[in-house]
Amino acid sequence: MLRIALIFILLHLITRPVLSQFSFERIFDVKVMKNDKVLSRAWEGGLNYPIFSNADIDGNGISDIIAFDKSGQRLIGFLNENLLFTPLNFNEDFIYGYDHKWMLFNDYNCDGHQDIFAGEANGITVFKNNGDFSFSDGIKIQAETELGIENIFVSSTDVPGIADVDGDGDIDILTFESSGSFIEFYENSSMDNSHSCGLSFTKKSNCWGQIKESDLNNTILFNQDCNASLNKTLGGVHAGSTITILDHNKDGRSDILLSDLTSNDLVLLTNSSAQEDKIISMDMNFPIYDKPISLNTFPYASLVDVNQNGKKDLLVSSNSESGDNTTILWYENKEGGDGKDKFYFQHDRFLVGDMLDFGFASYPIFIDENQDGLMDLLVGNHNNIKDGSKSSSFCLLRNVGTLNQPAFEVIDEDYLHFSTTDEHYLYPAIGDIDNDGDDDLLIGLENGKVLYYHNQAEQNQPYDFILASGNFEGIDVGKYAAPTLFDVNEDGAIDLLLGNESGSLTYFENQSTIGYDFTVKQSNWGNISTQEIDRGYFYGFSTPFLFEHDSSIHLLVGGASGKIQFYYDIKKEDPSGFELDHANFCTKDGGYSKPVMYDLNNDGFLELVNGSLSGGLAYYQGIAPNYRSSLNVQKTIDYQIHGEVILVQNPEVQSIKIIDFRGRTLQYSTGPSIIAPKSRGTYIMLIQLGDEFIPRAFIK
């Protein structure tokens, strides 16, 4: 079962079949430079508001890091010592069948496999790990309370504390009650009742720690009377709080880190060493012995082992979509001589500092900014929030590679200087609008209108844009205009297609061949919609991209769900209703997909670059379409490991590839033997026998 699961996870990284003409391999080694430094994680897609946990994803006995990014409900794994990136693509019902507010991994049934605790509508759902990193259907947690059996309440803005609070070997829960003033303690009584771990909960306290949080901020009041129910000022408005459980002084008692929606810091609350849970001290400037944590807004502390030294570190990110969206603080746990936890600041851009990360959402297009014949990237965004300041901007990545090997360098992170304006959504489109032989720029805005920037550069010179219209052609598509330019009807005049918040497309046909006249429009073009109301996507946020291949015009449409719709050869279709050929053209990795395609390495196969809500980019290299069809996952083939050499037990083996969890080829050899990787981890061998490729997963 483990082998099948590993092969499935790895094969989606090797290739992805879409239609007979298009296949892709997600790759990560296209070079990107920024400030004279290579971004080692450039194409991993960014992170906005991640919550981190530890779990062994690949079954090799090493505790990996998992990030759940609330932006697009995106799950990502970072494997082994080197934190190798891999997207975790569970089935759609798991991702879409629930409205996950947060996710934490913890082992509730003591089987050694980390299960998922997820925040749903005012409660907690648990998904059992089946042992191969697949998960059973969700179970809503309930508890015995003074009112009977009830769901354990968790506000939609909160993250509860989930850990063994009382030290009896099973998982308990601390969560704020509905007014947000007192912490409720739900004791797991499974060990007491059945001598085995489970999900049997009883509310044991209405005010754990004998504390009350202020109604206005994260000020803590001590020595509250837990027996006096009238002390609970119920019915107030709960802004939001998070709880991280730890034992920082190693006295066997549960302490907590507390954050509040109105604050930028974390408060350390230390429990009494006595048997009774009673908070006796607090650090409002935690950690007071190092750089105190400060992050706009509503920081949450994930307690995880980052560097696999057996010590739990702190990763701090915002738990609010109005908080900083490119900042992740890493505080390493450097225990003192007394064995107590001591957390010291290491980095303020953990992981994301090595990624292309443009903040909240990314909207890439291909351009040739310096007219050298190599396609560059221009990336817009929704916003970037830093220290509470929100701005939108364009980033220019110049292609500094060759015709056959692209490589990019970040040239300008505020191209056209929009960061000082009031615009908080910038969506670019490129094309020769005025038919003067050079590229012009359209910019879709949040208000549904479009800006027109005329290129006044001389022929074959770098772009030189000047604002020509602040309300181009009087166009208004409602909200979140998403333009793309293409000669749809092949009359020699470039046409305009716009997506919008509702998820439909509006087509503006250019009536002029010597300039532009976009006065004729067709709403609801192709009867396309990226709404998925049954999945909770009431707004579609459609992002169209038209391209020509083999003399046919094809249409990709991204949207809020993160899927990419594919419409094949639309010239043969009735524009009143296009046939959807593929509902998920490329592997989903987060929400708000924004695809563009171009043959970047001149091999005849189109590459695909996709933006997402997490603010980064994913790079998919085009490959021969018949490659995946030659894979035979049913066929078995034996092998032996002799020291550092792997010997396949078949003399007819033509070649062997060893591939890691990122889809990268680490080793290649002809014949039946190959050198094994040096690092520990889970790998896949792709063994060629004639026209077939047989995958075998192995753990080193």
Side-chain angles (χ1 to χ4, degrees):
M1 184 69 175
L2 176 61
R3 174 178 175 272
I4 294 172
L6 291 174
I7 287 175
F8 175 79
I9 294 171
L10 287 165
L11 286 185
H12 95 269
L13 291 171
I14 300 169
T15 58
R16 173 73 178 180
V18 285
L19 291 171
S20 60
Q21 296 188 48
F22 304 101
S23 286
F24 301 98
E25 173 185 1
R26 185 169 183 181
I27 64 173
F28 303 87
D29 56 1
V30 174
K31 185 178 179 180
V32 178
M33 296 286 294
K34 181 179 179 181
N35 298 328
D36 297 322
K37 173 190 172 185
V38 175
L39 296 181
S40 59
R41 300 180 178 274
W43 306 102
E44 294 185 4
L47 291 167
N48 284 341
Y49 307 109
I51 293 175
F52 296 94
S53 300
N54 283 127
D56 183 4
I57 297 171
D58 52 4
N60 66 349
I62 299 174
S63 184
D64 308 305
I65 292 179
I66 296 177
F68 172 73
D69 193 344
K70 295 169 67 174
S71 297
Q73 299 198 32
R74 184 170 175 242
L75 269 173
I76 315 131
F78 297 93
L79 276 62
N80 306 325
E81 295 97 333
N82 297 323
L83 300 179
L84 297 177
F85 168 90
T86 183
L88 301 176
N89 294 302
F90 295 114
N91 65 68
E92 278 199 23
D93 287 338
F94 177 78
I95 296 296
Y96 297 115
Y98 302 86
D99 182 18
H100 306 299
K101 307 297 183 184
W102 48 264
M103 278 190 190
L104 294 169
F105 285 72
N106 221 319
D107 180 11
Y108 82 84
N109 55 359
C110 303
D111 64 354
H113 303 293
Q114 301 295 304
D115 310 295
I116 294 176
F117 289 73
E120 318 298 346
N122 294 330
I124 303 173
T125 300
V126 173
F127 302 86
K128 177 181 175 292
N129 188 337
N130 298 318
D132 56 2
F133 217 72
S134 67
F135 294 86
S136 301
D137 291 340
I139 302 171
K140 199 80 168 184
I141 296 182
Q142 294 187 314
E144 184 178 344
T145 74
E146 61 271 22
L147 300 177
I149 302 299
E150 297 181 299
N151 291 339
I152 295 178
F153 174 83
V154 180
S155 169
S156 61
T157 58
D158 287 6
V159 180
I162 298 177
D164 183 6
V165 175
D166 54 10
D168 67 350
D170 48 23
I171 299 298
D172 309 302
I173 297 172
L174 295 178
T175 181
F176 276 90
E177 40 77 31
S178 57
S179 74
S181 297
F182 296 88
I183 297 174
E184 297 177 331
F185 172 40
Y186 290 90
E187 181 188 29
N188 193 330
S189 55
S190 300
M191 289 292 287
D192 297 330
N193 296 338
S194 61
H195 304 290
S196 62
C197 301
L199 295 172
S200 178
F201 290 93
T202 303
K203 185 197 284 189
K204 282 296 184 180
S205 174
N206 286 317
C207 60
W208 180 89
Q210 302 178 36
I211 56 172
K212 177 184 178 182
E213 185 181 20
S214 167
D215 296 332
L216 302 177
N217 51 42
N218 60 352
T219 300
I220 301 299
L221 305 177
F222 288 80
N223 301 313
Q224 300 299 295
D225 184 358
C226 292
N227 295 316
S229 59
L230 292 178
N231 277 357
K232 295 183 66 174
T233 315
L234 299 179
V237 177
H238 179 45
S241 302
T242 72
I243 298 171
T244 303
I245 301 171
L246 72 168
D247 180 11
H248 78 97
N249 55 5
K250 301 301 186 237
D251 64 352
R253 306 291 293 159
S254 290
D255 314 305
I256 62 172
L257 284 170
L258 181 68
S259 76
D260 187 271
L261 179 61
T262 61
S263 301
N264 296 337
D265 49 22
L266 289 168
V267 178
L268 174 64
L269 300 175
T270 300
N271 204 348
S272 168
S273 297
Q275 186 172 0
E276 182 183 25
D277 288 314
K278 183 177 182 181
I279 298 301
I280 57 173
S281 68
M282 65 179 171
D283 177 359
M284 296 288 289
N285 294 300
F286 174 79
I288 197 169
Y289 47 81
D290 193 54
K291 180 180 179 180
I293 291 170
S294 180
L295 176 64
N296 181 83
T297 301
F298 197 13
Y300 173 73
S302 300
L303 189 68
V304 293
D305 184 358
V306 171
N307 44 16
Q308 298 185 359
N309 62 358
K311 302 174 184 177
K312 295 284 189 178
D313 310 296
L314 291 178
L315 296 177
V316 184
S317 54
S318 175
N319 190 48
S320 168
E321 291 193 353
S322 62
D324 286 8
N325 54 20
T326 58
T327 302
I328 301 173
L329 307 178
W330 174 25
Y331 280 73
E332 184 177 4
N333 187 351
K334 299 181 179 181
E335 292 179 357
D338 56 4
K340 297 179 181 180
D341 291 338
K342 293 288 185 180
F343 299 100
Y344 293 93
F345 173 77
Q346 302 297 310
H347 208 294
D348 63 356
R349 300 201 72 212
F350 177 72
L351 295 175
V352 295
D354 292 312
M355 298 181 189
L356 289 170
D357 192 333
F358 307 100
F360 193 76
S362 52
Y363 308 120
I365 60 170
F366 288 118
I367 64 174
D368 186 5
E369 179 270 340
N370 58 348
Q371 298 295 290
D372 64 351
L374 301 178
M375 277 297 162
D376 313 305
L377 277 165
L378 183 66
V379 186
N381 67 358
H382 195 141
N383 60 60
N384 188 332
I385 304 175
K386 177 68 175 176
D387 297 329
S389 177
K390 181 187 293 188
S391 64
S392 293
S393 60
F394 287 117
C395 182
L396 173 63
L397 289 84
R398 184 171 293 156
N399 189 340
V400 295
T402 67
L403 188 63
N404 300 319
Q405 186 174 356
F408 295 91
E409 182 177 359
V410 176
I411 298 297
D412 190 344
E413 294 187 86
D414 192 14
Y415 187 69
L416 298 181
H417 311 293
F418 272 91
S419 66
T420 57
T421 71
D422 293 331
E423 300 296 345
H424 290 151
Y425 168 90
L426 298 171
Y427 191 107
I430 200 78
D432 186 4
I433 294 171
D434 53 8
N435 204 24
D436 65 351
D438 56 24
D439 289 333
D440 304 298
L441 181 69
L442 294 183
I443 301 172
L445 301 178
E446 183 177 0
N447 63 8
K449 301 181 186 300
V450 177
L451 303 179
Y452 168 36
Y453 276 75
H454 170 65
N455 185 2
Q456 58 184 357
E458 298 293 331
Q459 192 171 9
N460 299 321
Q461 294 300 306
Y463 293 162
D464 182 12
F465 291 120
I466 184 172
L467 180 64
S469 174
N471 186 13
F472 182 62
E473 296 285 82
I475 289 171
D476 186 348
V477 293
K479 294 193 71 175
Y480 296 101
T484 191
L485 290 160
F486 193 88
D487 184 4
V488 176
N489 57 0
E490 299 181 298
D491 64 352
I494 199 164
D495 304 303
L496 174 61
L497 186 63
L498 284 132
N500 54 49
E501 181 185 55
S502 70
S504 63
L505 300 181
T506 303
Y507 172 55
F508 291 83
E509 185 174 283
N510 191 348
Q511 302 296 298
S512 174
T513 58
I514 59 173
Y516 60 86
D517 178 9
F518 296 103
T519 57
V520 176
K521 71 175 183 178
Q522 180 181 343
S523 300
N524 198 25
W525 190 62
N527 197 29
I528 290 169
S529 176
T530 55
Q531 284 183 328
E532 294 188 37
I533 294 175
D534 58 330
R535 303 287 192 183
Y537 295 103
F538 299 105
Y539 298 99
F541 292 95
S542 47
T543 59
F545 177 76
L546 289 152
F547 67 101
E548 185 174 357
H549 183 72
D550 288 345
S551 301
S552 298
I553 297 175
H554 311 298
L555 172 65
L556 300 180
V557 187
S561 72
K563 299 176 184 178
I564 300 172
Q565 298 178 5
F566 183 92
Y567 297 87
Y568 179 80
D569 197 6
I570 62 171
K571 285 194 295 186
K572 297 179 180 179
E573 302 274 351
D574 182 347
S576 65
F578 293 149
E579 180 180 353
L580 177 61
D581 294 288
H582 205 293
N584 193 12
F585 178 70
C586 200
T587 303
K588 170 182 160 63
D589 184 22
Y592 288 64
S593 50
K594 166 55 173 87
V596 289
M597 295 179 71
Y598 191 83
D599 183 4
L600 290 170
N601 58 1
N602 197 35
D603 65 351
F605 302 112
L606 297 175
E607 275 66 58
L608 185 147
V609 172
N610 190 33
S612 76
L613 194 61
S614 292
L617 300 176
Y619 189 108
Y620 296 87
Q621 181 171 277
I623 60 174
N626 63 350
Y627 178 70
R628 174 65 179 267
S629 63
S630 62
L631 289 171
N632 188 340
V633 298
Q634 304 299 325
K635 190 169 185 176
T636 60
I637 189 168
D638 294 327
Y639 66 92
Q640 294 180 346
I641 300 179
H642 300 280
E644 297 300 316
V645 178
I646 302 174
L647 180 63
V648 178
Q649 305 295 299
N650 191 314
E652 298 180 3
V653 170
Q654 294 172 262
S655 68
I656 305 173
K657 278 185 181 181
I658 294 181
I659 300 167
D660 69 9
F661 245 84
R662 296 176 73 177
R664 300 180 304 176
T665 297
L666 303 180
Q667 306 277 11
Y668 175 83
S669 73
T670 57
S673 64
I674 193 168
I675 303 298
K678 294 181 180 179
S679 301
R680 292 188 298 164
T682 301
Y683 304 93
I684 191 166
M685 283 190 295
L686 206 57
I687 303 164
Q688 184 180 6
L689 283 176
D691 294 331
E692 289 187 326
F693 291 86
I694 296 95
R696 287 302 307 268
F698 69 95
I699 297 172
K700 184 177 185 294

